[in-house]
Amino acid sequence: MKQQFTAMALAFALAGCASQSTPVAPTPPQVAAPTAADTLTKRDLADGLYEMALSPKGDALYVASAEGFKDVQGGVVYKLDPQTLKTIGLSHTDLKNFGMALSDDGQTVYVTHSLDGGISALNTADGKVKARLLFPERNEKGLPFGARQILLHNDTLYVGAVADPAVIWVVDANTLKLKTRIKNTGKWMAGLHYSSETGRIYAANGGGEILVINPRTHRIEQRWKPLGDKPALLLNIAEDRDTGRLFVTDNSKAKTTLVLDIRSGKVIKQLDIGDSLGVVYNAKRHEIYVSQRESGKVLSLDATTYAVKKSWSVKPNPNSLLLSADGQTLFVTVKQPFNKDHSTTGPDSVVRIALNH
C-alpha cells in the first residue's frame, strides 16, 4: 500500500463495475456566507476527489473520486447538479479515479486510474463501464506507470504517464485501443493542452519542460525549458487564444505561474503569486484563476495587468479547477491533508463560485 500511495501522491501532488467499498452517505451542500462580491457554495462530498467535467448542456457536473486510500477498494464517479451540488447520480468503479475528460456529445466520461496505470470509458446514460485499457508499462519496482491527465482531441485520447522516462499514450477514444506511444517525453508527464490556434498539443513535465507535439504525426516538434537550468516541476496549462499566451503552473519547485508565448515559448512574465496548481483562463471575463494548495486559496487575476482581483479562501487544499461554458461559474475540488496511515480527517469538497455576483 505504501508504494501504491507514493505513486498516487506523485501523480497528483504534481498537480482526475461494483466497488467493494461502502458508499459515503451524501452530505447536504453547505452554503458559506456570501460577500458583496461573490457567492460561494461548498459541498463536503467524499474522499479522494480530483478532476471534474461539465456536460455540454451544463446540467451535470461529473467528479472523479478515488475514495479512501486506507482499506478502501475502488472509486466513484459522482454526478452532481451544477447549481446546487446535490448528487443526481453516481457510478461505483472497481478502480480508483483521478483524471477526467468528457466526450463532445456528453455520452461518455473518461477517467484515469493512476494506481493501476489505465483508463476507463463510462456511459453517462447508465453509469456503466463500457471499455477499459490497462497499459503494460512498469517501473523498476514493478508498479504501473501512473496515468495522470487525459486529453480528448479529434476522437483520440492522450494520456500522460508519471514515470521516468515518461510516455504519452495515444488511444482511440471510440474503441479504447492503444494506437501508439509518444516517447522521450522527459520526467513525470503532467499537464496536457490542445490549442486550436496552433493545432498543437502542449505537454508539461517534471523536468521543467514544455513539449510542443504535432497531433497528426505524434512527433515532438519543440522542447522549451522556460526557466532554463532552474529546478521546475511544471504541471497544468491554460491558454488565452486572443493574445497567444500559455499559463503554466508549478507548485513544487519554482512555485510560480509562467506566462509564455504560445509560438516561441519565450517567458512573457513570471507571476510571483506563490505555489500554483490548477490554472484556468476565462476569456469572457478576461481573468486567470489559480489554485494554491499551500495557502488554501483560489486567486482571480486580471489577465492584462496580472494583478490579484479576488482571493477566495477554500481551505485546506484546493486542487482542480473547472470553468463553466458561459464563464460565470468556477468549480473547485478541495482536498483534505493525509494522515500518516493514508486516512484523512474528513471528506474532500466541491466548491461552486458564482463569478457574476
Side-chain angles (χ1 to χ4, degrees):
M1 181 66 179
K2 182 176 182 181
Q3 288 182 332
Q4 283 194 324
F5 180 76
T6 301
M8 181 282 302
L10 180 60
F12 283 88
L14 297 179
C17 302
S19 168
Q20 299 298 317
S21 61
T22 302
V24 178
T27 304
Q30 298 177 351
V31 181
T35 68
D38 57 80
T39 301
L40 185 150
T41 305
K42 180 181 179 183
R43 167 82 189 278
D44 294 333
L45 182 60
D47 292 339
L49 301 185
Y50 288 97
E51 293 193 344
M52 302 166 285
L54 200 58
S55 65
K57 295 181 180 179
D59 58 353
L61 175 68
Y62 298 93
V63 185
S65 170
E67 296 299 294
F69 293 100
K70 177 177 167 52
D71 302 325
V72 177
Q73 170 63 34
V76 172
V77 173
Y78 290 91
K79 183 180 180 181
L80 307 182
D81 183 308
Q83 299 298 320
T84 66
L85 301 184
K86 291 181 179 179
T87 300
I88 55 177
L90 54 82
S91 300
H92 293 279
T93 59
D94 59 329
L95 300 180
K96 296 182 177 299
N97 310 301
F98 294 86
M100 176 175 279
L102 189 67
S103 62
D104 294 338
D105 60 11
Q107 295 181 11
T108 306
V109 61
Y110 302 96
V111 291
T112 60
H113 308 300
S114 292
L115 299 185
D116 296 277
I119 59 175
S120 291
L122 283 72
N123 189 330
T124 57
D126 57 18
K128 293 182 179 179
V129 174
K130 57 183 181 179
R132 172 171 290 164
L133 174 62
L134 297 177
F135 303 109
E137 284 85 354
R138 296 292 185 272
N139 63 20
E140 67 280 0
K141 295 181 180 180
L143 298 174
F145 283 14
R148 188 187 188 271
Q149 194 158 33
I150 185 167
L151 170 70
L152 174 62
H153 166 63
N154 197 24
D155 289 328
T156 302
L157 297 168
Y158 297 85
V159 185
V162 177
D164 187 13
V167 299
I168 298 174
W169 295 292
V170 183
V171 179
D172 185 300
N174 298 311
T175 64
L176 246 57
K177 300 296 184 182
L178 182 64
K179 298 169 65 174
T180 189
R181 295 171 175 83
I182 302 173
K183 298 181 179 180
N184 192 31
T185 58
K187 178 182 180 180
W188 302 338
M189 184 50 52
L192 297 169
H193 171 76
Y194 173 75
S195 170
S196 60
E197 294 299 306
T198 65
R200 297 295 184 269
I201 291 172
Y202 298 83
N205 70 25
E209 292 181 303
I210 299 293
L211 312 181
V212 184
I213 300 169
N214 187 327
R216 294 185 297 275
T217 64
H218 302 127
R219 294 179 64 89
I220 299 172
E221 297 182 334
Q222 298 182 65
R223 304 183 81 105
W224 302 335
K225 204 161 187 182
L227 291 178
D229 293 331
K230 294 180 181 178
L233 202 162
L234 303 182
L235 288 176
N236 297 307
I237 306 171
E239 177 188 356
D240 176 2
R241 295 178 183 175
D242 293 335
T243 62
R245 292 178 297 171
L246 287 180
F247 307 104
V248 185
T249 61
D250 183 335
N251 83 315
S252 178
K253 300 289 186 180
K255 295 188 182 296
T256 188
T257 298
L258 300 174
V259 184
L260 307 180
D261 181 278
I262 197 170
R263 297 185 183 276
S264 68
K266 180 182 177 181
V267 178
I268 299 171
K269 184 78 172 178
Q270 184 171 343
L271 306 184
D272 296 323
I273 55 175
D275 72 286
S276 304
L277 182 61
V279 61
V280 171
Y281 173 70
N282 188 341
K284 303 289 179 64
R285 299 174 61 90
H286 200 58
E287 295 172 338
I288 308 162
Y289 309 113
V290 177
S291 61
Q292 297 185 308
R293 290 193 64 154
E294 293 182 11
S295 68
K297 296 178 181 178
V298 173
L299 304 181
S300 170
L301 285 71
D302 184 287
T304 299
T305 65
Y306 306 114
V308 176
K309 296 174 63 175
K310 293 180 184 177
S311 174
W312 296 280
S313 178
V314 286
K315 292 182 177 180
N317 303 129
N319 198 69
S320 299
L321 301 176
L322 178 68
L323 186 66
S324 61
D326 64 4
Q328 302 307 315
T329 306
L330 184 67
F331 298 96
V332 189
T333 54
V334 181
K335 302 195 63 55
Q336 295 285 337
F338 288 105
N339 299 318
K340 290 182 179 180
D341 65 353
H342 308 153
S343 66
T344 60
T345 57
D348 294 348
S349 307
V350 177
V351 170
R352 180 186 188 275
I353 300 174
L355 301 170
N356 56 353
H357 283 72

